Amino acid sequence: MLGETGTGKTRTAKLIHSLSPRKNAPFIAVNCAGLAGSLIESELCGYEKGAFTGAISSKQGKFEAANGGTLFLDEIGELEPNIQAKLLTVVEEKSITRVGANASRPINVRIIYATHRDLSVVREDFRYRITAHSIHLKPLRERVEGVIPLSQKFVQDFAKRSGVCIKADPRDLKLLTSWLWRGNIRELRNFVEKVCLDAIFTASEGGKATALS
């Protein structure tokens, strides 16, 4: 899955999972950019007791945790080539070996990969494997028609969470379509939620809770 930061890659992966026969099994998401290189293998494949300093007990990795379900690997472009090679082995052999173990463990996992980077950063053999079925999520500036419905949903979601009745003026929502939204859906959501908070603050001082007006 390809798309700029904030285009909804995680949400799309969850949707794919929820519409599949695996929907009742685990959905596990891993942000590869948030893991130190030395920890990625043990995080994904798990480790045995005594495998390294601090490994006081065995621990299953994300592959085992997602067994039967879906493992979403976000920002795979940040993985080192040697980790990409190990991932390729896991995909082809459908098994993992915990760090510090000798025996492999079979897994049944659907893997969804995502990155905001050009796939040239991914080693060639791994790239061929993961691009068999690719989805490209357009940035919000290229699908302006989605800005208003998304904004309305974010207002509704905020109102539901806060328990405060908040409405958005359609004329004001239309103004949002002229912004570039470099941060895509994430930026739009954060903006709408900030405006909603401001609306609640205004209402607490005797005003009316009307967002985006």
Coordinates of all heavy atoms in Angstrom, one line a residue, residues 111-148:
I111 N -0.2 -10.5 5.4 CA 0.6 -9.3 5.6 C 0.2 -8.2 4.7 O 0.1 -8.4 3.5 CB 2.1 -9.7 5.5 CG1 2.5 -10.9 6.3 CG2 2.9 -8.4 5.9 CD1 3.9 -11.3 6.1
I112 N -0.1 -7.0 5.2 CA -0.3 -5.8 4.4 C 0.9 -4.9 4.7 O 1.2 -4.6 5.9 CB -1.6 -5.2 4.8 CG1 -2.8 -6.1 4.6 CG2 -1.8 -3.9 4.0 CD1 -4.1 -5.6 5.0
Y113 N 1.5 -4.5 3.6 CA 2.7 -3.6 3.8 C 2.3 -2.2 3.4 O 1.4 -2.0 2.5 CB 3.8 -4.1 2.9 CG 4.2 -5.5 3.0 CD1 3.6 -6.5 2.2 CD2 5.2 -5.9 3.8 CE1 3.9 -7.8 2.2 CE2 5.6 -7.3 3.9 CZ 4.9 -8.2 3.1 OH 5.2 -9.5 3.2
A114 N 2.9 -1.2 3.9 CA 2.7 0.2 3.6 C 3.9 1.0 3.7 O 4.8 0.7 4.5 CB 1.6 0.8 4.4
T115 N 4.0 2.0 2.8 CA 5.1 3.0 2.9 C 4.7 4.3 2.2 O 3.9 4.3 1.3 CB 6.4 2.4 2.3 OG1 7.5 3.3 2.4 CG2 6.2 2.1 0.8
H116 N 5.3 5.4 2.7 CA 5.1 6.6 2.0 C 6.3 6.9 1.1 O 6.3 7.9 0.4 CB 5.0 7.8 3.0 CG 6.3 8.1 3.7 ND1 6.9 7.4 4.7 CD2 7.2 9.2 3.5 CE1 8.0 7.9 5.1 NE2 8.2 9.0 4.4
R117 N 7.3 6.0 1.1 CA 8.5 6.3 0.3 C 8.5 5.6 -1.0 O 7.6 4.7 -1.3 CB 9.8 5.8 1.1 CG 9.9 6.4 2.4 CD 11.2 5.9 3.1 NE 12.4 6.3 2.4 CZ 13.6 6.0 2.8 NH1 13.8 5.3 3.9 NH2 14.7 6.3 2.0
D118 N 9.3 6.0 -1.9 CA 9.5 5.4 -3.2 C 10.0 3.9 -3.0 O 10.9 3.7 -2.2 CB 10.4 6.1 -4.1 CG 10.5 5.6 -5.5 OD1 11.1 4.5 -5.8 OD2 9.9 6.2 -6.4
L119 N 9.4 3.0 -3.7 CA 9.8 1.6 -3.5 C 11.2 1.2 -3.9 O 11.7 0.1 -3.7 CB 8.8 0.7 -4.2 CG 7.4 0.5 -3.5 CD1 6.5 -0.3 -4.3 CD2 7.6 -0.1 -2.1
S120 N 11.9 2.2 -4.5 CA 13.3 1.9 -4.9 C 14.2 1.7 -3.6 O 15.3 1.2 -3.7 CB 13.9 3.1 -5.7 OG 13.8 4.3 -5.0
V121 N 13.7 2.1 -2.5 CA 14.4 1.9 -1.2 C 14.3 0.5 -0.7 O 15.0 0.1 0.2 CB 13.9 2.9 -0.1 CG1 14.1 4.3 -0.6 CG2 12.5 2.6 0.3
V122 N 13.4 -0.3 -1.3 CA 13.2 -1.7 -0.9 C 14.1 -2.6 -1.8 O 14.1 -2.4 -3.0 CB 11.7 -2.1 -1.0 CG1 11.5 -3.5 -0.6 CG2 10.9 -1.1 -0.1
R123 N 14.7 -3.6 -1.2 CA 15.5 -4.5 -2.0 C 14.7 -5.2 -3.1 O 13.5 -5.5 -2.9 CB 16.3 -5.5 -1.1 CG 15.4 -6.3 -0.2 CD 16.3 -7.2 0.6 NE 16.8 -8.3 -0.2 CZ 17.9 -9.0 0.1 NH1 18.6 -8.7 1.1 NH2 18.2 -10.0 -0.6
E124 N 15.3 -5.4 -4.2 CA 14.6 -5.8 -5.4 C 13.7 -7.1 -5.2 O 12.6 -7.1 -5.6 CB 15.6 -6.0 -6.6 CG 14.9 -6.2 -7.9 CD 15.9 -6.3 -9.0 OE1 17.0 -6.8 -8.8 OE2 15.6 -5.8 -10.1
D125 N 14.3 -8.1 -4.6 CA 13.6 -9.4 -4.5 C 12.4 -9.2 -3.6 O 11.3 -9.8 -3.8 CB 14.5 -10.5 -4.0 CG 15.3 -10.2 -2.8 OD1 15.2 -9.0 -2.3 OD2 16.0 -11.0 -2.2
F126 N 12.5 -8.5 -2.5 CA 11.4 -8.2 -1.6 C 10.4 -7.3 -2.3 O 9.2 -7.6 -2.1 CB 12.0 -7.5 -0.4 CG 11.0 -7.3 0.7 CD1 10.2 -8.4 1.1 CD2 10.8 -6.1 1.4 CE1 9.2 -8.3 2.2 CE2 9.9 -6.0 2.4 CZ 9.1 -7.0 2.8
R127 N 10.8 -6.4 -3.1 CA 9.9 -5.5 -3.8 C 9.0 -6.2 -4.7 O 7.8 -6.0 -4.8 CB 10.6 -4.4 -4.5 CG 9.7 -3.4 -5.2 CD 10.5 -2.2 -5.7 NE 11.4 -2.5 -6.8 CZ 12.7 -2.4 -6.7 NH1 13.3 -2.1 -5.6 NH2 13.5 -2.7 -7.8
Y128 N 9.5 -7.2 -5.5 CA 8.7 -8.0 -6.4 C 7.7 -8.8 -5.7 O 6.5 -9.0 -6.2 CB 9.6 -8.9 -7.2 CG 10.5 -8.2 -8.2 CD1 11.8 -8.8 -8.6 CD2 10.1 -7.0 -8.8 CE1 12.6 -8.1 -9.5 CE2 10.9 -6.4 -9.7 CZ 12.2 -6.9 -10.0 OH 13.0 -6.3 -10.9
R129 N 8.0 -9.2 -4.5 CA 7.1 -10.0 -3.7 C 5.9 -9.2 -3.2 O 4.7 -9.7 -3.2 CB 7.8 -10.7 -2.6 CG 7.0 -11.6 -1.7 CD 6.7 -12.9 -2.4 NE 5.7 -13.8 -1.7 CZ 5.6 -15.1 -1.9 NH1 6.4 -15.7 -2.8 NH2 4.7 -15.7 -1.3
I130 N 6.2 -8.0 -2.7 CA 5.1 -7.3 -2.0 C 4.3 -6.4 -2.9 O 3.3 -5.8 -2.4 CB 5.8 -6.4 -0.9 CG1 6.6 -5.3 -1.5 CG2 6.5 -7.2 0.1 CD1 7.2 -4.3 -0.5
T131 N 4.7 -6.3 -4.1 CA 3.9 -5.4 -5.0 C 3.0 -6.2 -6.0 O 2.5 -5.6 -6.9 CB 4.8 -4.5 -5.9 OG1 5.8 -5.3 -6.6 CG2 5.6 -3.5 -5.0
A132 N 2.7 -7.4 -5.7 CA 1.8 -8.2 -6.5 C 0.4 -7.6 -6.6 O -0.2 -7.6 -7.6 CB 1.7 -9.7 -6.0
H133 N -0.1 -7.1 -5.4 CA -1.4 -6.5 -5.4 C -1.2 -5.1 -4.6 O -1.2 -5.1 -3.4 CB -2.4 -7.3 -4.7 CG -2.5 -8.7 -5.2 ND1 -3.2 -8.9 -6.4 CD2 -2.1 -9.9 -4.8 CE1 -3.2 -10.2 -6.7 NE2 -2.5 -10.8 -5.7
S134 N -1.0 -4.1 -5.4 CA -0.7 -2.8 -4.7 C -1.9 -1.8 -4.8 O -2.7 -1.9 -5.7 CB 0.5 -2.1 -5.4 OG 0.2 -1.9 -6.8
I135 N -2.0 -1.0 -3.7 CA -3.0 0.0 -3.6 C -2.3 1.3 -3.4 O -1.5 1.5 -2.6 CB -4.0 -0.3 -2.4 CG1 -4.7 -1.6 -2.5 CG2 -5.0 0.8 -2.2 CD1 -5.4 -2.0 -1.3
H136 N -2.7 2.3 -4.2 CA -2.2 3.7 -4.1 C -3.2 4.6 -3.6 O -4.3 4.8 -4.2 CB -1.6 4.2 -5.4 CG -0.9 5.5 -5.3 ND1 -1.6 6.7 -5.6 CD2 0.3 5.8 -5.0 CE1 -0.7 7.7 -5.4 NE2 0.4 7.2 -5.0
L137 N -3.0 5.2 -2.4 CA -3.9 6.1 -1.8 C -3.5 7.5 -2.2 O -2.4 8.0 -1.8 CB -3.9 6.0 -0.3 CG -4.3 4.6 0.3 CD1 -4.2 4.6 1.8 CD2 -5.7 4.2 -0.2
K138 N -4.4 8.2 -2.9 CA -4.1 9.6 -3.3 C -4.0 10.5 -2.2 O -4.8 10.4 -1.2 CB -5.1 10.0 -4.3 CG -5.1 9.3 -5.7 CD -6.2 9.9 -6.6 CE -6.2 9.2 -7.9 NZ -7.2 9.7 -8.8
P139 N -3.2 11.6 -2.2 CA -3.2 12.6 -1.2 C -4.6 13.3 -1.2 O -5.2 13.4 -2.3 CB -2.0 13.5 -1.6 CG -1.8 13.3 -3.0 CD -2.2 11.8 -3.3
L140 N -4.9 13.9 -0.1 CA -6.2 14.6 0.0 C -6.4 15.7 -1.0 O -7.5 16.0 -1.5 CB -6.4 15.1 1.4 CG -7.8 15.5 1.8 CD1 -8.8 14.4 1.6 CD2 -7.8 15.9 3.3
R141 N -5.3 16.4 -1.4 CA -5.4 17.5 -2.4 C -5.8 17.0 -3.8 O -6.2 17.8 -4.6 CB -4.1 18.2 -2.4 CG -2.9 17.4 -2.9 CD -1.6 18.2 -2.8 NE -0.4 17.3 -3.1 CZ 0.2 16.5 -2.2 NH1 -0.2 16.5 -1.0 NH2 1.2 15.8 -2.6
E142 N -5.7 15.7 -4.0 CA -6.0 15.1 -5.3 C -7.4 14.4 -5.2 O -7.9 13.9 -6.2 CB -5.0 14.1 -5.8 CG -3.7 14.7 -6.1 CD -2.6 13.7 -6.6 OE1 -3.0 12.6 -6.9 OE2 -1.4 14.1 -6.7
R143 N -8.0 14.5 -4.1 CA -9.4 14.0 -4.0 C -10.2 14.9 -3.1 O -10.7 14.6 -2.0 CB -9.4 12.6 -3.4 CG -8.5 12.3 -2.3 CD -8.6 10.9 -1.8 NE -7.5 10.5 -0.9 CZ -7.7 9.8 0.3 NH1 -8.9 9.4 0.6 NH2 -6.7 9.6 1.1
V144 N -10.3 16.2 -3.6 CA -10.9 17.2 -2.8 C -12.4 16.9 -2.5 O -12.9 17.4 -1.4 CB -10.9 18.6 -3.6 CG1 -11.5 19.7 -2.9 CG2 -9.4 18.9 -4.0
E145 N -13.0 16.1 -3.3 CA -14.4 15.8 -3.0 C -14.6 15.1 -1.7 O -15.7 15.0 -1.2 CB -15.0 14.9 -4.2 CG -14.4 13.5 -4.3 CD -13.1 13.4 -4.9 OE1 -12.5 14.5 -5.4 OE2 -12.5 12.3 -5.0
G146 N -13.5 14.6 -1.1 CA -13.7 13.8 0.1 C -13.5 14.7 1.3 O -13.7 14.3 2.5
V147 N -13.1 16.0 1.2 CA -12.8 16.8 2.3 C -14.1 17.1 3.1 O -14.1 17.0 4.4 CB -12.2 18.2 1.8 CG1 -12.1 19.2 3.0 CG2 -10.8 18.0 1.2
I148 N -15.2 17.5 2.5 CA -16.4 17.8 3.2 C -17.0 16.6 4.0 O -17.2 16.7 5.2 CB -17.4 18.4 2.3 CG1 -16.9 19.8 1.8 CG2 -18.8 18.6 3.0 CD1 -17.9 20.5 0.9

